[in-house]
């Protein structure tokens, strides 16, 4: 993408309503635009990050054996009347009437809908276990939408739903998702810590929140520093095998949010390992047994012919929230520092003198070498403004090409994450960028 053609509306002024750094940077770098309170349009750079995050989530769900579908955003109210949640959900649910005066709603989550779909398919224990997910927009009419896409009203969620014959089976599925989540966040360069959680309106008795540490997090968290030492990508899980040893590591050390803080257990953590920090919830998983399957009439014939009510769980990831969380975890005073795995483009090419034949030629050559993955700053602006915009946009690499270097075939390469820079020949720069 050439900046002279791109739709990348960066802002010079910091919008007053944006209180946290990710919200400010998402507006300034032209990733999103607010269209109403808590509702955002995704612009090209933001959408590319959203899609990359979504794809990592998808790959790890697939790897763990979940299967993707796509359910609608609009749901009929009667599904929720059958589960008993229609009244409980209160004002957070956006209720709609169609032209026939039928009650509908914009889905805040899909437990009811998937249970109903699955009921029309599953008849026997051979139809279990199944784990089904989709990545779809949700609407929750939050009282105080704030912090941009961090707490929006319309937001993108990955939600998976599992059906098992037995409680033991459901716990195995829960561990599959637990491990898949650790891998998902680690692939984005995030350290997410699972913490025991309350189940709230989703229900059930077993639940973990996945929390990344960031100064601007909404809740205070307490954890054993041992948990920060472990890399979930270091082991390749066998999703069909016993995942208990993998999960045990994460549950044997102390980690809790403010609400769940247990002062006695906290006192047992060695002082030098005590970490108090703030956190952002990027995922939440639940085992809730037959809370939806029973009232909604889902049952299958068991191996001995008697009817069995499947054990269920649901597993959420805040896909759009993750984009903001990634910025909270990766930025400096000049802008975003995208981790490679989720960057909207790999490389900013900064032409310091458009119109200079050597500069133009070297820039074009480099630009052509990264089709679809480079931004070329070919604007006639001054160098300072270009450097500032490149740092703000936060692509992992910057190739700075000026008349003096270009005359000798030299490129200055800067790594945004570390600030390291070196002057290299075109070939060496290519080797570094392709490594
Ligand atoms: C799990 C999947 C559920 O809804 N039902 C289906 C369960 N869980 S949850 O914790 O309520 O939400 C899952 C994740 O969605 C993100 N999230 C939000 N992101 C942006 N704005 C919001 N208003 C919002 N609400 C929830 C969080 O990351 C949460 O962990």
């Amino acid at each position: 993408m050439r900046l002279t053609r791109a739709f990348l509306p960066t802002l010079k002024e910091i919008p007053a309503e944006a209180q946290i750094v990710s919200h400010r940077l998402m507006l300034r770098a032209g990733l999103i635009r607010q269209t109403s309170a808590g509702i955002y349009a995704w612009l090209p750079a933001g959408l590319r990050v959203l899609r990359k995050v979504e794809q990592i989530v998808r790959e790890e769900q697939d790897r763990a054996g979940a299967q993707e579908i796509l359910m609608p955003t609009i749901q009929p109210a009667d599904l929720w009347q059958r589960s008993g949640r229609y009244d409980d959900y209160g004002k957070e649910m956006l209720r709609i009437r169609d032209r026939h005066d039928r009650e509908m709603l914009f889905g805040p989550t899909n437990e009811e809908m998937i249970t109903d779909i699955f009921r029309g398919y599953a008849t026997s224990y051979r139809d279990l276990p199944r784990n089904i997910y989709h990545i779809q927009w949700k609407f929750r009419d939050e009282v105080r939408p704030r912090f941009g896409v961090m707490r929006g009203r319309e937001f993108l969620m990955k939600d998976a739903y599992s059906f098992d014959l037995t409680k033991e089976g459901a716990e195995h599925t829960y561990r599959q998702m637990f491990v898949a989540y650790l891998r998902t966040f680690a692939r984005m360069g995030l350290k997410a810590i699972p913490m025991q959680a309350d189940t709230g309106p989703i229900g059930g008795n077993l639940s973990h929140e996945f929390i990344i540490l960031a100064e601007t997090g909404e809740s205070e968290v307490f954890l054993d520093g041992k948990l920060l030492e472990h890399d979930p990508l270091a082991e390749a899980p066998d999703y069909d095998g016993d995942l208990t040893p993998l999960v045990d590591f994460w549950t044997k050390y102390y980690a809790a949010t403010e609400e769940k803080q247990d002062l006695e257990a906290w006192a047992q953590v060695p002082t030098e390992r005590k970490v108090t920090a703030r956190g952002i919830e990027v995922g939440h998983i639940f085992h809730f047994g037959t809370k939806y399957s029973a009232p909604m009439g889902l049952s299958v014939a068991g191996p001995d012919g008697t009817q069995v009510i499947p054990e269920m769980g649901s597993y959420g990831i805040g896909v759009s929230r993750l984009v903001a969380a990634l910025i909270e975890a990766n930025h400096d005073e000049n802008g975003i520092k995208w981790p490679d795995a989720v960057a909207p483009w790999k490389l900013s090419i900064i032409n310091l003198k458009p119109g200079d034949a050597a500069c133009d030629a070297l820039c074009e050559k480099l630009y052509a070498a990264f089709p679809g993955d480079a931004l070329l700053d070919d604007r006639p602006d001054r160098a300072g403004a270009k450097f500032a915009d490149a740092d703000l946009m936060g692509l992992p690499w910057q190739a700075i090409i000026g008349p003096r270097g270009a005359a000798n075939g030299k490129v200055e390469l800067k790594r945004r994450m570390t600030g390291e820079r070196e002057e290299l020949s075109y070939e060496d720069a290519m080797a570094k960028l392709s490594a």
Side-chain angles (χ1 to χ4, degrees):
M1 186 71 66
R2 294 169 197 275
L3 287 195
T4 47
R5 298 283 189 82
F7 181 48
L8 288 171
T10 56
L11 294 180
K12 298 279 171 297
E13 299 301 315
I14 299 173
E17 78 272 13
Q19 296 165 30
I20 60 168
V21 67
S22 59
H23 189 192
R24 284 199 293 272
L25 288 173
M26 287 182 81
L27 292 169
R28 277 186 59 206
L31 306 189
I32 53 168
R33 274 297 173 279
Q34 183 176 304
T35 59
S36 2
I39 306 182
Y40 294 85
W42 292 78
L43 308 186
L47 182 61
R48 289 177 72 103
V49 179
L50 189 69
R51 292 286 180 248
K52 289 207 170 168
V53 168
E54 188 183 321
Q55 186 55 23
I56 292 174
V57 170
R58 175 177 289 119
E59 285 169 17
E60 294 301 326
Q61 289 293 293
D62 292 347
R63 192 196 297 270
Q67 296 173 64
E68 187 170 10
I69 64 167
L70 184 58
M71 290 181 270
T73 53
I74 305 294
Q75 307 187 17
D78 74 288
L79 280 180
W80 290 67
Q81 281 149 354
R82 272 155 55 199
S83 74
R85 273 208 293 186
Y86 192 57
D87 296 327
D88 297 357
Y89 226 93
K91 291 204 158 186
E92 276 211 9
M93 183 184 272
L94 181 63
R95 294 153 207 260
I96 307 165
R97 275 179 197 275
D98 70 9
R99 62 162 73 200
H100 305 292
D101 216 29
R102 277 190 286 254
E103 290 180 75
M104 316 286 282
L105 56 100
F106 196 120
T109 178
N110 288 61
E111 278 81 4
E112 284 77 359
M113 183 173 274
I114 192 68
T115 306
D116 193 55
I117 292 172
F118 199 69
R119 191 172 61 103
Y121 151 83
T123 53
S124 129
Y125 67 94
R126 283 187 300 266
D127 299 322
L128 303 176
R130 293 290 186 276
N131 189 354
I132 300 159
Y133 74 98
H134 75 159
I135 302 174
Q136 177 64 292
W137 294 91
K138 306 289 187 285
F139 195 93
R140 293 183 184 174
D141 206 349
E142 305 268 352
V143 201
R144 277 216 314 142
R146 56 194 176 136
F147 305 152
V149 299
M150 190 75 90
R151 181 168 294 284
R153 293 200 295 166
E154 192 181 66
F155 60 96
L156 189 59
M157 192 201 287
K158 182 287 297 180
D159 37 328
Y161 303 91
S162 66
F163 301 88
D164 275 271
L165 191 64
T166 62
K167 185 151 192 293
E168 293 66 43
E171 282 165 2
H172 175 66
T173 307
Y174 188 90
R175 286 191 287 272
Q176 288 178 325
M177 288 293 102
F178 191 105
V179 171
Y181 275 35
L182 290 169
R183 286 184 52 86
T184 301
F185 302 126
R187 278 186 58 188
M188 298 173 196
L190 291 172
K191 190 117 229 167
I193 312 287
M195 303 192 183
Q196 262 191 39
D198 288 325
T199 53
I202 306 293
N205 42 28
L206 174 61
S207 175
H208 284 88
E209 283 171 14
F210 286 74
I211 294 196
I212 65 147
L213 307 185
E215 276 163 34
T216 46
E218 274 198 288
S219 54
E220 190 161 28
V221 295
F222 304 84
L223 64 133
D224 188 323
K226 276 272 180 205
L227 290 168
L228 297 169
E229 290 167 15
H230 198 71
D231 176 11
L233 296 177
E235 64 250 310
D238 169 9
Y239 282 110
D240 295 324
D242 184 9
L243 295 168
T244 331
L246 278 186
V247 171
D248 277 354
F249 171 85
W250 297 93
T251 44
K252 94 176 158 207
Y253 296 107
Y254 188 80
T257 56
E258 231 162 349
E259 301 83 57
K260 284 272 176 179
Q261 172 70 325
D262 171 342
L263 289 171
E264 266 174 50
W266 180 236
Q268 306 300 309
V269 179
T271 314
E272 69 280 6
R273 294 202 329 234
K274 277 190 170 137
V275 177
T276 22
R278 300 200 69 81
I280 300 168
E281 178 199 320
V282 288
H284 200 161
I285 62 178
F286 304 82
H287 167 70
F288 42 69
T290 60
K291 178 174 171 181
Y292 300 93
S293 41
M296 297 191 71
L298 168 64
S299 71
V300 299
D304 61 1
T306 59
Q307 288 293 303
V308 182
I309 302 175
E311 292 274 332
M312 290 177 62
S314 74
Y315 316 89
I317 291 183
V319 176
S320 48
R321 172 178 291 185
L322 265 168
V323 178
L326 279 158
I327 297 175
E328 292 293 332
N330 300 287
H331 68 270
D332 63 14
E333 64 283 5
N334 298 324
I336 305 170
K337 302 199 280 187
W338 288 117
D340 295 284
V342 297
W345 293 271
K346 183 190 183 82
L347 169 70
S348 278
I349 302 167
I350 303 173
N351 187 344
L352 290 179
K353 201 167 182 201
D356 175 277
C359 277
D360 289 353
L362 198 52
C363 284
E364 293 295 336
K365 191 167 152 195
L366 195 55
Y367 184 56
F370 295 93
D373 215 8
L375 280 185
L376 172 58
D377 193 345
D378 53 348
R379 298 171 302 176
D381 304 20
R382 41 180 199 92
K386 295 187 173 203
F387 293 143
D389 273 353
D391 277 357
L392 173 63
M393 290 289 302
L395 305 192
W397 296 96
Q398 295 173 15
I400 301 151
I401 297 175
R404 211 171 316 129
N408 303 309
K410 293 265 163 102
V411 174
E412 187 181 349
L413 212 54
K414 173 175 158 182
R415 188 83 169 126
R416 177 69 177 101
M417 193 61 93
T418 59
E420 258 170 281
R421 353 160 130 251
E422 27 179 1
E423 191 173 66
L424 298 168
S425 68
Y426 176 82
E427 289 70 27
D428 289 347
M430 278 301 292
K432 199 136 197 184
L433 288 168
S434 313

